[in-house]
């Protein structure tokens, strides 16, 4: 009996250690729990399948709107964000560090909500860049240093190919917004994110993009 209990406890611990937080489910309700957020015109989002994968199709024609999910994530428990994406119609070589070129065929946001202290709001925008090298990082043209743009895919990425991504959000926040000096201070500043969002936008350049997103989830490793 004791041996059996230990085995069950071990299985339970393993399940909790390796637990994922699923933010979407393309096999069932897709991105139904995500709220639309429009800035200029409407990017069209539709659950479909593409190249043997369930996907959320995004088509933007001179538009900037996204899908937003308010969900608090404890990054000490599940620091890794995972997603997949594919671009069929990408953007021209844009000056992405300027307002005129702040368009992306695909991007995934994570946000620390500063509430009334708006200056404490911080966001990482993981983008498929049309002009930057992979892993290039820069301040957002509109929000400045409060939003760090990270080229997860750069100008050398292949059109028509699925890419599976994994980022340690907790470590990225420390790396791009600054180490607070102690483990406790880092935990206080970067432990939680409050919002996850996706957006395919082309309003500044007046371009057209066609992109596909797979499911998004957080994991322990």
């Amino acid at each position: 009996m004791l041996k059996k209990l230990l085995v069950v406890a071990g299985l339970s611990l393993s399940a909790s250690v390796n637990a994922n937080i699923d933010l979407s489910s393309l096999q069932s309700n897709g991105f139904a729990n995500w709220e639309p957020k429009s800035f200029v015109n409407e990017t069209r989002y539709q659950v479909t399948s593409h190249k043997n994968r369930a996907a959320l199709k995004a088509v933007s024609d001179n538009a900037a709107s996204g899908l937003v999910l308010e969900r608090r994530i404890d990054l000490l428990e599940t620091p890794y964000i995972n997603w997949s994406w594919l671009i069929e119609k990408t953007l021209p070589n844009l000056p992405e560090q300027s307002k005129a070129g702040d368009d992306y065929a695909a991007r995934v946001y994570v946000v620390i909500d500063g509430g009334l202290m708006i200056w404490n709001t911080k966001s990482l925008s993981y983008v498929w860049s049309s002009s930057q090298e992979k892993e290039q990082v820069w301040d957002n043209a509109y929000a400045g240093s409060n939003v760090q743009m990270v080229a997860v895919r750069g100008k050398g990425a292949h059109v028509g190919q699925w890419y599976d991504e994994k980022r340690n959000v907790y470590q990225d926040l420390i790396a791009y917004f600054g180490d607070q000096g102690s483990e406790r201070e880092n935990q206080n500043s970067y432990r939680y994110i409050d919002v996850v969002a996706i957006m395919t936008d082309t309003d500044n350049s007046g371009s057209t993009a066609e992109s596909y997103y797979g499911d998004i989830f957080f994991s322990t490793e």
Side-chain angles (χ1 to χ4, degrees):
M1 176 65 73
L2 177 59
K3 183 177 180 181
K4 184 176 181 180
L5 289 174
L6 288 174
V7 169
V8 172
L11 290 174
S12 298
L13 178 59
S14 175
S16 64
V17 167
N18 296 309
N20 293 338
I21 298 177
D22 298 319
L23 303 185
S24 63
S25 179
L26 287 165
Q27 296 294 344
S28 55
N29 67 342
F31 283 72
N33 295 326
W34 296 55
E35 296 291 332
K37 175 67 174 178
S38 181
F39 299 94
V40 178
N41 301 323
E42 296 289 339
T43 299
R44 301 186 298 278
Y45 295 98
Q46 178 186 4
V47 175
T48 183
S49 62
H50 191 68
K51 296 190 175 179
N52 299 317
R53 292 198 189 191
L56 181 73
K57 180 180 180 180
V59 177
S60 177
D61 184 6
N62 188 29
S65 69
L67 298 177
V68 178
L69 179 68
E70 294 186 8
R71 177 77 178 269
R72 172 161 269 210
I73 304 293
D74 186 340
L75 297 178
L76 296 186
E77 296 289 338
T78 52
Y80 291 95
I81 187 172
N82 304 259
W83 77 95
S84 58
W85 52 6
L86 176 151
I87 303 300
E88 286 291 7
K89 184 175 179 58
T90 189
L91 301 181
N93 188 350
L94 298 174
E96 293 171 341
Q97 299 185 30
S98 70
K99 292 181 179 181
D102 187 46
D103 283 343
Y104 301 93
R107 55 168 135 186
V108 176
Y109 288 94
V110 294
V111 182
I112 298 174
D113 186 358
L116 295 177
M117 295 180 290
I118 188 66
W119 54 88
N120 284 339
T121 296
K122 296 179 175 63
S123 176
L124 294 172
S125 183
Y126 296 118
V127 302
W128 189 308
S129 172
S130 65
S131 60
Q132 308 295 318
E133 297 290 345
K134 182 179 178 180
E135 296 299 334
Q136 187 77 18
V137 180
W138 63 98
D139 293 349
N140 180 264
Y142 286 93
S145 60
N146 280 42
V147 178
Q148 292 296 297
M149 315 297 291
V150 183
V152 176
R153 292 293 156 186
K155 57 185 179 181
H158 297 294
V159 171
Q161 176 179 324
W162 279 106
Y163 288 95
D164 298 315
E165 314 291 7
K166 180 191 291 284
R167 301 289 303 201
N168 187 321
V169 176
Y170 182 70
Q171 292 299 328
D172 280 349
L173 287 168
I174 294 172
Y176 303 137
F177 288 105
D179 193 325
Q180 299 301 304
S182 73
E183 183 177 353
R184 180 180 293 274
E185 287 174 317
N186 286 335
Q187 289 181 6
N188 289 339
S189 298
Y190 305 126
R191 178 170 182 173
Y192 298 102
I193 61 166
D194 303 292
V195 175
V196 180
I198 63 172
M199 185 162 70
T200 293
D201 65 306
T202 61
D203 60 313
N204 293 300
S205 61
S207 303
T208 301
E210 179 182 333
S211 309
Y212 296 82
Y213 299 86
D215 278 320
I216 300 174
F217 63 95
F218 276 81
S219 62
T220 57
E221 57 184 26

